[in-house]
Amino acid sequence: GAVVSQHPSWVICKSGTSVKIECRSLDFQATTMFWYRQFPKQSLMLMATSNEGSKATYEQGVEKDKFLINHASLTLSTLTVTSAHPEDSSFYICSARRQGAGNTIYFGEGSWLTVV
Amino acid sequence: AQKITQTQPGMFVQEKEAVTLDCTYDTSDQSYGLFWYKQPSSGEMIFLIYQGSYDEQNATEGRYSLNFQKARKSANLVISASQLGDSAMYFCAMRVGFGNEKLTFGTGTRLTIIP
Protein backbone atom coordinates (compact mmCIF):
# COMPACT_ATOMS: atom_id res chain seq x y z
CA GLY A 1 0.00 0.00 0.00
CA ALA A 2 0.90 3.66 -0.21
CA VAL A 3 3.59 4.90 2.10
CA VAL A 4 3.29 8.56 1.16
CA SER A 5 -0.05 10.06 0.26
CA GLN A 6 -0.91 13.28 -1.54
CA HIS A 7 -4.15 15.19 -1.76
CA PRO A 8 -5.78 16.29 -3.96
CA SER A 9 -4.85 14.18 -6.96
CA TRP A 10 -6.40 16.69 -9.33
CA VAL A 11 -7.21 20.33 -8.81
CA ILE A 12 -8.43 23.06 -11.10
CA CYS A 13 -8.34 26.61 -9.87
CA LYS A 14 -8.93 30.05 -11.25
CA SER A 15 -6.06 32.33 -12.04
CA GLY A 16 -5.19 34.51 -9.07
CA THR A 17 -6.39 32.11 -6.42
CA SER A 18 -4.30 29.95 -4.12
CA VAL A 19 -4.31 26.19 -3.89
CA LYS A 20 -2.95 23.89 -1.20
CA ILE A 21 -1.54 20.43 -1.77
CA GLU A 22 -0.95 18.06 1.13
CA CYS A 23 1.70 15.40 1.48
CA ARG A 24 1.38 12.88 4.28
CA SER A 25 3.68 10.14 5.43
CA LEU A 26 1.61 7.13 6.44
CA ASP A 27 2.60 5.21 9.56
CA PHE A 28 5.97 6.88 9.85
CA GLN A 29 7.45 10.22 10.75
CA ALA A 30 9.32 12.27 8.22
CA THR A 31 11.37 15.19 9.47
CA THR A 32 12.20 16.01 5.88
CA MET A 33 10.04 15.86 2.78
CA PHE A 34 10.73 17.03 -0.72
CA TRP A 35 8.59 18.74 -3.31
CA TYR A 36 9.16 18.21 -7.01
CA ARG A 37 7.57 19.66 -10.09
CA GLN A 38 7.16 17.94 -13.41
CA PHE A 39 6.09 19.60 -16.63
CA PRO A 40 4.51 17.43 -19.34
CA LYS A 41 6.95 15.03 -20.92
CA GLN A 42 9.78 16.31 -18.77
CA SER A 43 11.68 15.05 -15.79
CA LEU A 44 11.14 15.84 -12.13
CA MET A 45 12.80 18.95 -10.82
CA LEU A 46 13.34 19.49 -7.12
CA MET A 47 11.61 22.63 -5.88
CA ALA A 48 12.29 22.63 -2.17
CA THR A 49 13.10 20.69 0.94
CA SER A 50 10.42 20.78 3.59
CA ASN A 51 11.84 20.72 7.12
CA GLU A 52 9.65 19.91 10.09
CA GLY A 53 9.51 22.82 12.49
CA SER A 54 11.65 25.15 10.44
CA LYS A 55 11.71 27.02 7.17
CA ALA A 56 11.80 25.22 3.88
CA THR A 57 14.93 25.27 1.77
CA TYR A 58 14.25 26.31 -1.81
CA GLU A 59 16.21 25.39 -4.89
CA GLN A 60 17.67 28.11 -7.01
CA GLY A 61 15.09 29.80 -9.19
CA VAL A 62 12.08 28.73 -7.13
CA GLU A 63 10.09 31.63 -5.68
CA LYS A 64 9.57 31.01 -2.00
CA ASP A 65 6.75 33.56 -1.79
CA LYS A 66 5.01 31.87 -4.65
CA PHE A 67 5.33 28.33 -3.37
CA LEU A 68 4.72 28.34 0.36
CA ILE A 69 5.75 25.22 2.20
CA ASN A 70 4.66 24.35 5.71
CA HIS A 71 5.85 21.26 7.56
CA ALA A 72 3.91 21.68 10.77
CA SER A 73 3.99 18.07 11.92
CA LEU A 74 6.15 15.02 11.45
CA THR A 75 3.67 13.48 9.05
CA LEU A 76 2.39 16.42 7.03
CA SER A 77 3.91 18.90 4.61
CA THR A 78 1.81 21.31 2.57
CA LEU A 79 2.62 23.19 -0.60
CA THR A 80 0.54 26.26 -1.31
CA VAL A 81 0.71 27.78 -4.75
CA THR A 82 -0.21 31.41 -4.19
CA SER A 83 -1.80 33.68 -6.77
CA ALA A 84 -1.71 30.85 -9.26
CA HIS A 85 -1.25 31.53 -12.95
CA PRO A 86 -1.65 29.24 -15.95
CA GLU A 87 2.12 28.77 -16.13
CA ASP A 88 1.95 27.16 -12.68
CA SER A 89 -0.08 24.33 -14.16
CA SER A 90 2.02 21.27 -13.62
CA PHE A 91 2.35 17.96 -11.82
CA TYR A 92 3.54 18.37 -8.24
CA ILE A 93 4.82 15.39 -6.31
CA CYS A 94 6.37 14.94 -2.88
CA SER A 95 8.77 12.39 -1.47
CA ALA A 96 9.95 11.14 1.91
CA ARG A 97 12.28 8.47 3.21
CA ARG A 98 10.94 5.96 5.64
CA GLN A 99 13.50 5.46 8.39
CA GLY A 100 14.40 1.86 8.87
CA ALA A 101 13.21 0.95 5.40
CA GLY A 102 16.64 0.88 3.92
CA ASN A 103 17.38 3.49 1.37
CA THR A 104 14.02 3.60 -0.33
CA ILE A 105 12.66 7.04 -1.03
CA TYR A 106 8.92 6.95 -1.53
CA PHE A 107 6.80 9.32 -3.54
CA GLY A 108 3.25 10.42 -3.16
CA GLU A 109 0.74 9.83 -5.91
CA GLY A 110 1.27 13.34 -7.21
CA SER A 111 -1.11 16.22 -7.78
CA TRP A 112 -2.13 17.58 -11.15
CA LEU A 113 -2.72 21.32 -10.98
CA THR A 114 -4.49 23.16 -13.76
CA VAL A 115 -4.88 26.92 -13.51
CA VAL A 116 -7.51 28.39 -15.79
CA ALA B 1 27.22 18.99 -9.29
CA GLN B 2 25.66 15.68 -10.10
CA LYS B 3 24.04 14.64 -13.34
CA ILE B 4 22.03 11.71 -14.61
CA THR B 5 21.89 10.90 -18.30
CA GLN B 6 19.35 8.67 -19.97
CA THR B 7 20.05 8.54 -23.68
CA GLN B 8 17.02 6.54 -24.80
CA PRO B 9 13.93 8.76 -25.11
CA GLY B 10 11.81 5.82 -26.16
CA MET B 11 12.02 2.06 -26.59
CA PHE B 12 9.75 -0.55 -28.11
CA VAL B 13 10.16 -4.11 -26.91
CA GLN B 14 8.31 -7.30 -27.72
CA GLU B 15 6.41 -8.83 -24.84
CA LYS B 16 8.36 -11.48 -22.89
CA GLU B 17 11.70 -10.17 -24.08
CA ALA B 18 14.26 -8.68 -21.72
CA VAL B 19 14.96 -4.97 -21.95
CA THR B 20 17.85 -2.81 -20.76
CA LEU B 21 17.33 0.84 -19.97
CA ASP B 22 20.52 2.87 -19.93
CA CYS B 23 21.59 5.28 -17.23
CA THR B 24 24.92 6.99 -16.70
CA TYR B 25 25.74 9.31 -13.87
CA ASP B 26 28.30 11.85 -12.92
CA THR B 27 29.35 12.82 -9.43
CA SER B 28 32.56 13.48 -7.59
CA ASP B 29 31.17 12.10 -4.34
CA GLN B 30 32.22 8.63 -3.25
CA SER B 31 28.98 8.02 -1.39
CA TYR B 32 25.87 8.01 -3.53
CA GLY B 33 22.80 5.98 -4.31
CA LEU B 34 21.09 5.18 -7.56
CA PHE B 35 17.38 4.61 -7.98
CA TRP B 36 15.03 3.52 -10.71
CA TYR B 37 11.41 4.59 -10.71
CA LYS B 38 8.53 3.68 -12.97
CA GLN B 39 5.96 6.34 -13.81
CA PRO B 40 2.76 5.12 -15.45
CA SER B 41 0.40 7.55 -17.12
CA SER B 42 -1.34 8.17 -13.78
CA GLY B 43 1.77 10.03 -12.67
CA GLU B 44 2.72 8.18 -9.51
CA MET B 45 6.37 7.34 -9.06
CA ILE B 46 6.83 3.68 -8.27
CA PHE B 47 10.11 2.69 -6.66
CA LEU B 48 11.72 -0.24 -8.46
CA ILE B 49 15.27 -0.75 -7.27
CA TYR B 50 18.17 0.84 -5.41
CA GLN B 51 21.95 0.50 -5.66
CA GLY B 52 24.37 2.03 -3.21
CA SER B 53 27.80 3.10 -4.33
CA TYR B 54 29.45 0.78 -1.84
CA ASP B 55 27.28 -2.20 -2.64
CA GLU B 56 29.45 -4.89 -4.11
CA GLN B 57 26.68 -6.89 -5.65
CA ASN B 58 24.21 -5.75 -8.25
CA ALA B 59 20.77 -5.10 -6.83
CA THR B 60 17.87 -7.32 -7.83
CA GLU B 61 14.15 -7.05 -7.14
CA GLY B 62 12.03 -9.68 -8.79
CA ARG B 63 12.14 -9.09 -12.55
CA TYR B 64 14.25 -5.98 -12.08
CA SER B 65 18.01 -5.98 -11.80
CA LEU B 66 20.49 -3.18 -11.86
CA ASN B 67 23.67 -3.60 -13.87
CA PHE B 68 26.02 -1.44 -11.82
CA GLN B 69 29.36 -0.67 -13.43
CA LYS B 70 31.05 1.76 -11.12
CA ALA B 71 34.14 2.41 -13.23
CA ARG B 72 31.92 3.32 -16.18
CA LYS B 73 29.51 5.22 -13.95
CA SER B 74 26.58 3.36 -15.35
CA ALA B 75 23.53 1.89 -13.65
CA ASN B 76 21.40 0.23 -16.28
CA LEU B 77 18.04 -1.27 -15.41
CA VAL B 78 17.29 -4.71 -16.76
CA ILE B 79 13.72 -5.93 -16.90
CA SER B 80 13.42 -9.62 -17.61
CA ALA B 81 10.43 -11.21 -19.31
CA SER B 82 8.72 -7.91 -20.08
CA GLN B 83 4.96 -7.60 -19.64
CA LEU B 84 2.40 -5.28 -21.16
CA GLY B 85 2.05 -3.61 -17.78
CA ASP B 86 5.68 -2.56 -17.94
CA SER B 87 4.79 0.12 -20.48
CA ALA B 88 5.55 3.41 -18.73
CA MET B 89 8.16 6.11 -18.28
CA TYR B 90 11.25 5.00 -16.41
CA PHE B 91 13.46 7.42 -14.53
CA CYS B 92 16.94 6.91 -13.19
CA ALA B 93 17.78 9.07 -10.19
CA MET B 94 20.68 9.69 -7.86
CA ARG B 95 21.18 10.98 -4.38
CA VAL B 96 24.60 12.15 -3.28
CA GLY B 97 26.12 12.02 0.14
CA PHE B 98 25.30 10.03 3.22
CA GLY B 99 21.78 10.54 4.49
CA ASN B 100 20.85 12.89 1.67
CA GLU B 101 17.35 12.34 0.38
CA LYS B 102 17.32 14.83 -2.49
CA LEU B 103 17.13 13.15 -5.85
CA THR B 104 18.45 14.28 -9.21
CA PHE B 105 16.55 12.71 -12.08
CA GLY B 106 17.39 11.81 -15.63
CA THR B 107 15.12 12.76 -18.49
CA GLY B 108 13.47 9.38 -18.57
CA THR B 109 12.87 6.62 -21.09
CA ARG B 110 9.40 5.79 -22.39
CA LEU B 111 9.12 2.03 -22.65
CA THR B 112 6.39 0.50 -24.76
CA ILE B 113 5.81 -3.23 -24.68
CA ILE B 114 4.38 -4.64 -27.88
CA PRO B 115 2.05 -7.66 -27.66
Side-chain angles (χ1 to χ4, degrees):
Chain A
V3 177
V4 177
S5 179
Q6 263 182 260
H7 178 80
S9 300
W10 298 82
V11 58
I12 300 174
C13 70
K14 289 186 177 180
S15 187
T17 63
S18 296
V19 60
K20 182 186 288 186
I21 301 169
E22 295 184 347
C23 177
R24 293 182 185 274
S25 56
L26 306 179
D27 300 325
F28 73 97
Q29 296 178 337
T31 55
T32 309
M33 292 183 177
F34 299 86
W35 286 96
Y36 294 81
R37 182 176 184 177
Q38 185 181 26
F39 289 107
K41 298 185 179 181
Q42 293 189 26
S43 188
L44 279 72
M45 297 298 294
L46 180 66
M47 297 176 64
T49 303
S50 176
N51 304 298
E52 188 270 333
S54 64
K55 290 183 180 180
T57 307
Y58 291 82
E59 296 300 302
Q60 192 172 10
V62 177
E63 300 176 60
K64 60 181 181 180
D65 295 330
K66 173 77 171 173
F67 300 100
L68 299 180
I69 291 173
N70 186 4
H71 196 147
S73 78
L74 286 169
T75 59
L76 174 64
S77 173
T78 60
L79 169 68
T80 301
V81 183
T82 63
S83 187
H85 290 283
E87 56 265 32
D88 297 326
S89 299
S90 185
F91 183 66
Y92 295 88
I93 191 166
C94 67
S95 74
R97 185 164 75 98
R98 185 175 188 168
Q99 303 296 328
N103 293 285
T104 306
I105 296 174
Y106 293 97
F107 282 81
E109 303 93 332
S111 301
W112 297 90
L113 169 64
T114 301
V115 184
V116 298
Chain B
Q2 49 271 12
K3 185 178 180 181
I4 292 282
T5 302
Q6 293 180 255
T7 58
Q8 306 153 310
M11 286 189 70
F12 291 85
V13 173
Q14 204 75 36
E15 189 181 7
K16 298 181 184 177
E17 289 186 353
V19 56
T20 298
L21 304 181
D22 295 341
C23 172
T24 58
Y25 59 92
D26 188 25
T27 180
S28 55
D29 272 78
Q30 297 301 309
S31 175
Y32 53 88
L34 298 155
F35 299 76
W36 276 94
Y37 287 89
K38 172 184 178 181
Q39 187 179 43
S41 56
S42 59
E44 60 184 312
M45 294 290 282
I46 302 169
F47 167 77
L48 296 178
I49 199 165
Y50 169 84
Q51 180 85 41
S53 58
Y54 295 116
D55 294 342
E56 295 184 350
Q57 299 210 348
N58 287 346
T60 58
E61 290 283 351
R63 293 188 299 115
Y64 304 107
S65 60
L66 200 151
N67 185 0
F68 182 46
Q69 298 189 38
K70 198 169 182 177
R72 294 186 177 183
K73 292 192 174 179
S74 74
N76 299 339
L77 176 70
V78 180
I79 305 174
S80 63
S82 57
Q83 302 170 356
L84 295 178
D86 294 333
S87 294
M89 278 293 287
Y90 287 80
F91 289 98
C92 180
M94 176 170 64
R95 62 152 185 83
V96 172
F98 179 75
N100 187 12
E101 298 162 20
K102 288 188 197 181
L103 293 179
T104 299
F105 283 85
T107 50
T109 296
R110 178 165 294 283
L111 175 64
T112 303
I113 306 300
I114 306 166

mmCIF file of all heavy atoms in Angstrom, chain A residues 19-45:
data_model
loop_
_atom_site.group_PDB
_atom_site.id
_atom_site.type_symbol
_atom_site.label_atom_id
_atom_site.label_comp_id
_atom_site.label_asym_id
_atom_site.label_seq_id
_atom_site.Cartn_x
_atom_site.Cartn_y
_atom_site.Cartn_z
ATOM 1 N N VAL A 19 -3.925 27.587 -4.041
ATOM 2 C CA VAL A 19 -4.313 26.188 -3.891
ATOM 3 C C VAL A 19 -3.295 25.462 -3.027
ATOM 4 O O VAL A 19 -2.093 25.704 -3.131
ATOM 5 C CB VAL A 19 -4.443 25.503 -5.279
ATOM 6 C CG1 VAL A 19 -3.130 25.543 -6.037
ATOM 7 C CG2 VAL A 19 -4.954 24.092 -5.150
ATOM 8 N N LYS A 20 -3.813 24.608 -2.138
ATOM 9 C CA LYS A 20 -2.953 23.893 -1.202
ATOM 10 C C LYS A 20 -2.929 22.414 -1.543
ATOM 11 O O LYS A 20 -3.968 21.804 -1.775
ATOM 12 C CB LYS A 20 -3.464 24.064 0.221
ATOM 13 C CG LYS A 20 -2.592 23.384 1.280
ATOM 14 C CD LYS A 20 -3.204 23.445 2.665
ATOM 15 C CE LYS A 20 -3.143 24.819 3.246
ATOM 16 N NZ LYS A 20 -3.602 24.849 4.664
ATOM 17 N N ILE A 21 -1.731 21.866 -1.526
ATOM 18 C CA ILE A 21 -1.543 20.435 -1.772
ATOM 19 C C ILE A 21 -0.903 19.830 -0.533
ATOM 20 O O ILE A 21 0.058 20.379 0.011
ATOM 21 C CB ILE A 21 -0.629 20.189 -2.989
ATOM 22 C CG1 ILE A 21 -1.236 20.825 -4.249
ATOM 23 C CG2 ILE A 21 -0.407 18.701 -3.204
ATOM 24 C CD1 ILE A 21 -0.287 20.858 -5.429
ATOM 25 N N GLU A 22 -1.456 18.703 -0.074
ATOM 26 C CA GLU A 22 -0.948 18.059 1.130
ATOM 27 C C GLU A 22 -0.136 16.810 0.798
ATOM 28 O O GLU A 22 -0.462 16.079 -0.132
ATOM 29 C CB GLU A 22 -2.110 17.657 2.044
ATOM 30 C CG GLU A 22 -2.891 18.811 2.605
ATOM 31 C CD GLU A 22 -3.973 18.354 3.574
ATOM 32 O OE1 GLU A 22 -4.265 17.138 3.614
ATOM 33 O OE2 GLU A 22 -4.508 19.214 4.297
ATOM 34 N N CYS A 23 0.877 16.598 1.601
ATOM 35 C CA CYS A 23 1.702 15.399 1.478
ATOM 36 C C CYS A 23 1.815 14.779 2.865
ATOM 37 O O CYS A 23 2.300 15.430 3.792
ATOM 38 C CB CYS A 23 3.082 15.762 0.936
ATOM 39 S SG CYS A 23 4.242 14.373 0.827
ATOM 40 N N ARG A 24 1.375 13.556 2.987
ATOM 41 C CA ARG A 24 1.381 12.884 4.281
ATOM 42 C C ARG A 24 2.208 11.607 4.242
ATOM 43 O O ARG A 24 2.120 10.829 3.297
ATOM 44 C CB ARG A 24 -0.040 12.508 4.709
ATOM 45 C CG ARG A 24 -0.947 13.660 5.021
ATOM 46 C CD ARG A 24 -2.317 13.213 5.494
ATOM 47 N NE ARG A 24 -3.199 14.352 5.679
ATOM 48 C CZ ARG A 24 -3.272 15.067 6.784
ATOM 49 N NH1 ARG A 24 -2.515 14.728 7.812
ATOM 50 N NH2 ARG A 24 -4.086 16.084 6.876
ATOM 51 N N SER A 25 2.994 11.413 5.282
ATOM 52 C CA SER A 25 3.681 10.138 5.432
ATOM 53 C C SER A 25 2.765 9.245 6.270
ATOM 54 O O SER A 25 2.256 9.666 7.310
ATOM 55 C CB SER A 25 5.034 10.330 6.109
ATOM 56 O OG SER A 25 4.890 10.987 7.356
ATOM 57 N N LEU A 26 2.540 8.048 5.789
ATOM 58 C CA LEU A 26 1.610 7.133 6.438
ATOM 59 C C LEU A 26 2.376 6.179 7.350
ATOM 60 O O LEU A 26 3.288 5.503 6.909
ATOM 61 C CB LEU A 26 0.834 6.350 5.388
ATOM 62 C CG LEU A 26 0.108 7.198 4.333
ATOM 63 C CD1 LEU A 26 -0.597 6.302 3.335
ATOM 64 C CD2 LEU A 26 -0.876 8.148 4.987
ATOM 65 N N ASP A 27 2.007 6.150 8.604
ATOM 66 C CA ASP A 27 2.598 5.206 9.560
ATOM 67 C C ASP A 27 4.074 5.427 9.832
ATOM 68 O O ASP A 27 4.740 4.535 10.360
ATOM 69 C CB ASP A 27 2.392 3.751 9.099
ATOM 70 C CG ASP A 27 0.930 3.397 8.975
ATOM 71 O OD1 ASP A 27 0.141 3.915 9.799
ATOM 72 O OD2 ASP A 27 0.577 2.631 8.068
ATOM 73 N N PHE A 28 4.604 6.573 9.455
ATOM 74 C CA PHE A 28 5.972 6.881 9.845
ATOM 75 C C PHE A 28 6.148 8.390 9.890
ATOM 76 O O PHE A 28 5.379 9.137 9.303
ATOM 77 C CB PHE A 28 6.983 6.242 8.884
ATOM 78 C CG PHE A 28 7.082 6.886 7.522
ATOM 79 C CD1 PHE A 28 8.078 7.814 7.245
ATOM 80 C CD2 PHE A 28 6.179 6.561 6.523
ATOM 81 C CE1 PHE A 28 8.174 8.398 5.992
ATOM 82 C CE2 PHE A 28 6.272 7.133 5.273
ATOM 83 C CZ PHE A 28 7.272 8.056 5.000
ATOM 84 N N GLN A 29 7.172 8.798 10.611
ATOM 85 C CA GLN A 29 7.452 10.217 10.753
ATOM 86 C C GLN A 29 8.553 10.635 9.789
ATOM 87 O O GLN A 29 9.537 9.920 9.605
ATOM 88 C CB GLN A 29 7.877 10.526 12.193
ATOM 89 C CG GLN A 29 6.779 10.258 13.215
ATOM 90 C CD GLN A 29 7.233 10.532 14.642
ATOM 91 O OE1 GLN A 29 8.413 10.504 14.942
ATOM 92 N NE2 GLN A 29 6.281 10.810 15.515
ATOM 93 N N ALA A 30 8.353 11.762 9.182
ATOM 94 C CA ALA A 30 9.319 12.274 8.220
ATOM 95 C C ALA A 30 9.713 13.693 8.595
ATOM 96 O O ALA A 30 8.916 14.623 8.445
ATOM 97 C CB ALA A 30 8.723 12.239 6.809
ATOM 98 N N THR A 31 10.915 13.856 9.109
ATOM 99 C CA THR A 31 11.373 15.195 9.466
ATOM 100 C C THR A 31 11.676 16.018 8.226
ATOM 101 O O THR A 31 11.706 17.244 8.277
ATOM 102 C CB THR A 31 12.633 15.132 10.346
ATOM 103 O OG1 THR A 31 13.623 14.360 9.656
ATOM 104 C CG2 THR A 31 12.328 14.462 11.675
ATOM 105 N N THR A 32 11.904 15.333 7.136
ATOM 106 C CA THR A 32 12.196 16.011 5.877
ATOM 107 C C THR A 32 11.355 15.418 4.757
ATOM 108 O O THR A 32 11.258 14.198 4.639
ATOM 109 C CB THR A 32 13.681 15.866 5.504
ATOM 110 O OG1 THR A 32 14.481 16.259 6.617
ATOM 111 C CG2 THR A 32 14.036 16.727 4.308
ATOM 112 N N MET A 33 10.752 16.274 3.984
ATOM 113 C CA MET A 33 10.036 15.856 2.782
ATOM 114 C C MET A 33 10.509 16.737 1.641
ATOM 115 O O MET A 33 11.089 17.798 1.866
ATOM 116 C CB MET A 33 8.520 15.992 2.966
ATOM 117 C CG MET A 33 7.927 15.020 3.979
ATOM 118 S SD MET A 33 6.122 15.199 4.053
ATOM 119 C CE MET A 33 5.700 13.926 5.216
ATOM 120 N N PHE A 34 10.258 16.300 0.448
ATOM 121 C CA PHE A 34 10.733 17.026 -0.721
ATOM 122 C C PHE A 34 9.588 17.246 -1.700
ATOM 123 O O PHE A 34 8.750 16.380 -1.898
ATOM 124 C CB PHE A 34 11.869 16.252 -1.412
ATOM 125 C CG PHE A 34 13.065 16.055 -0.532
ATOM 126 C CD1 PHE A 34 13.132 14.974 0.328
ATOM 127 C CD2 PHE A 34 14.101 16.971 -0.537
ATOM 128 C CE1 PHE A 34 14.214 14.802 1.164
ATOM 129 C CE2 PHE A 34 15.197 16.801 0.302
ATOM 130 C CZ PHE A 34 15.247 15.718 1.147
ATOM 131 N N TRP A 35 9.602 18.419 -2.302
ATOM 132 C CA TRP A 35 8.594 18.743 -3.307
ATOM 133 C C TRP A 35 9.258 18.873 -4.677
ATOM 134 O O TRP A 35 10.246 19.582 -4.836
ATOM 135 C CB TRP A 35 7.881 20.040 -2.954
ATOM 136 C CG TRP A 35 6.919 19.883 -1.822
ATOM 137 C CD1 TRP A 35 7.142 20.154 -0.503
ATOM 138 C CD2 TRP A 35 5.580 19.397 -1.898
ATOM 139 N NE1 TRP A 35 6.024 19.863 0.242
ATOM 140 C CE2 TRP A 35 5.049 19.400 -0.593
ATOM 141 C CE3 TRP A 35 4.757 18.965 -2.955
ATOM 142 C CZ2 TRP A 35 3.751 18.994 -0.309
ATOM 143 C CZ3 TRP A 35 3.465 18.559 -2.674
ATOM 144 C CH2 TRP A 35 2.970 18.578 -1.368
ATOM 145 N N TYR A 36 8.676 18.172 -5.640
ATOM 146 C CA TYR A 36 9.161 18.206 -7.014
ATOM 147 C C TYR A 36 8.058 18.724 -7.919
ATOM 148 O O TYR A 36 6.870 18.614 -7.621
ATOM 149 C CB TYR A 36 9.571 16.809 -7.487
ATOM 150 C CG TYR A 36 10.753 16.210 -6.776
ATOM 151 C CD1 TYR A 36 10.614 15.595 -5.533
ATOM 152 C CD2 TYR A 36 12.024 16.242 -7.348
ATOM 153 C CE1 TYR A 36 11.693 15.038 -4.874
ATOM 154 C CE2 TYR A 36 13.118 15.682 -6.697
ATOM 155 C CZ TYR A 36 12.935 15.082 -5.470
ATOM 156 O OH TYR A 36 14.017 14.531 -4.823
ATOM 157 N N ARG A 37 8.497 19.197 -9.069
ATOM 158 C CA ARG A 37 7.566 19.659 -10.090
ATOM 159 C C ARG A 37 7.935 18.980 -11.401
ATOM 160 O O ARG A 37 9.121 18.787 -11.691
ATOM 161 C CB ARG A 37 7.694 21.177 -10.229
ATOM 162 C CG ARG A 37 6.750 21.808 -11.218
ATOM 163 C CD ARG A 37 6.927 23.303 -11.176
ATOM 164 N NE ARG A 37 5.966 23.972 -12.041
ATOM 165 C CZ ARG A 37 5.838 25.280 -12.172
ATOM 166 N NH1 ARG A 37 6.627 26.083 -11.484
ATOM 167 N NH2 ARG A 37 4.939 25.793 -12.982
ATOM 168 N N GLN A 38 6.905 18.613 -12.145
ATOM 169 C CA GLN A 38 7.159 17.942 -13.411
ATOM 170 C C GLN A 38 6.252 18.526 -14.481
ATOM 171 O O GLN A 38 5.028 18.421 -14.391
ATOM 172 C CB GLN A 38 6.913 16.433 -13.287
ATOM 173 C CG GLN A 38 7.265 15.647 -14.540
ATOM 174 C CD GLN A 38 6.992 14.167 -14.387
ATOM 175 O OE1 GLN A 38 6.136 13.759 -13.602
ATOM 176 N NE2 GLN A 38 7.715 13.340 -15.123
ATOM 177 N N PHE A 39 6.847 19.118 -15.484
ATOM 178 C CA PHE A 39 6.093 19.601 -16.631
ATOM 179 C C PHE A 39 5.860 18.435 -17.578
ATOM 180 O O PHE A 39 6.607 17.446 -17.563
ATOM 181 C CB PHE A 39 6.840 20.740 -17.336
ATOM 182 C CG PHE A 39 6.841 22.009 -16.547
ATOM 183 C CD1 PHE A 39 8.002 22.451 -15.919
ATOM 184 C CD2 PHE A 39 5.699 22.771 -16.410
ATOM 185 C CE1 PHE A 39 8.007 23.624 -15.181
ATOM 186 C CE2 PHE A 39 5.690 23.940 -15.679
ATOM 187 C CZ PHE A 39 6.855 24.354 -15.055
ATOM 188 N N PRO A 40 4.830 18.540 -18.435
ATOM 189 C CA PRO A 40 4.505 17.429 -19.341
ATOM 190 C C PRO A 40 5.704 16.966 -20.143
ATOM 191 O O PRO A 40 6.446 17.772 -20.701
ATOM 192 C CB PRO A 40 3.417 18.035 -20.237
ATOM 193 C CG PRO A 40 2.771 19.076 -19.399
ATOM 194 C CD PRO A 40 3.883 19.653 -18.560
ATOM 195 N N LYS A 41 5.889 15.681 -20.141
ATOM 196 C CA LYS A 41 6.947 15.027 -20.917
ATOM 197 C C LYS A 41 8.341 15.466 -20.487
ATOM 198 O O LYS A 41 9.287 15.378 -21.281
ATOM 199 C CB LYS A 41 6.738 15.263 -22.413
ATOM 200 C CG LYS A 41 5.429 14.685 -22.934
ATOM 201 C CD LYS A 41 5.297 14.816 -24.417
ATOM 202 C CE LYS A 41 3.971 14.202 -24.878
ATOM 203 N NZ LYS A 41 3.802 14.288 -26.342
ATOM 204 N N GLN A 42 8.457 15.939 -19.273
ATOM 205 C CA GLN A 42 9.776 16.306 -18.767
ATOM 206 C C GLN A 42 10.077 15.537 -17.483
ATOM 207 O O GLN A 42 9.247 14.794 -16.972
ATOM 208 C CB GLN A 42 9.849 17.818 -18.523
ATOM 209 C CG GLN A 42 9.767 18.632 -19.803
ATOM 210 C CD GLN A 42 10.056 20.101 -19.555
ATOM 211 O OE1 GLN A 42 10.749 20.466 -18.605
ATOM 212 N NE2 GLN A 42 9.535 20.952 -20.419
ATOM 213 N N SER A 43 11.276 15.753 -16.989
ATOM 214 C CA SER A 43 11.680 15.050 -15.785
ATOM 215 C C SER A 43 11.230 15.801 -14.533
ATOM 216 O O SER A 43 10.678 16.903 -14.619
ATOM 217 C CB SER A 43 13.197 14.895 -15.782
ATOM 218 O OG SER A 43 13.594 14.058 -14.724
ATOM 219 N N LEU A 44 11.474 15.194 -13.396
ATOM 220 C CA LEU A 44 11.143 15.841 -12.126
ATOM 221 C C LEU A 44 12.258 16.800 -11.735
ATOM 222 O O LEU A 44 13.435 16.471 -11.815
ATOM 223 C CB LEU A 44 10.989 14.799 -11.012
ATOM 224 C CG LEU A 44 9.670 14.058 -10.911
ATOM 225 C CD1 LEU A 44 9.517 13.062 -12.050
ATOM 226 C CD2 LEU A 44 9.556 13.340 -9.576
ATOM 227 N N MET A 45 11.839 17.961 -11.277
ATOM 228 C CA MET A 45 12.800 18.946 -10.817
ATOM 229 C C MET A 45 12.506 19.265 -9.364
ATOM 230 O O MET A 45 11.365 19.589 -9.014
ATOM 231 C CB MET A 45 12.706 20.221 -11.655
ATOM 232 C CG MET A 45 13.046 20.018 -13.118
ATOM 233 S SD MET A 45 14.744 19.460 -13.378
ATOM 234 C CE MET A 45 15.650 20.896 -12.828
#
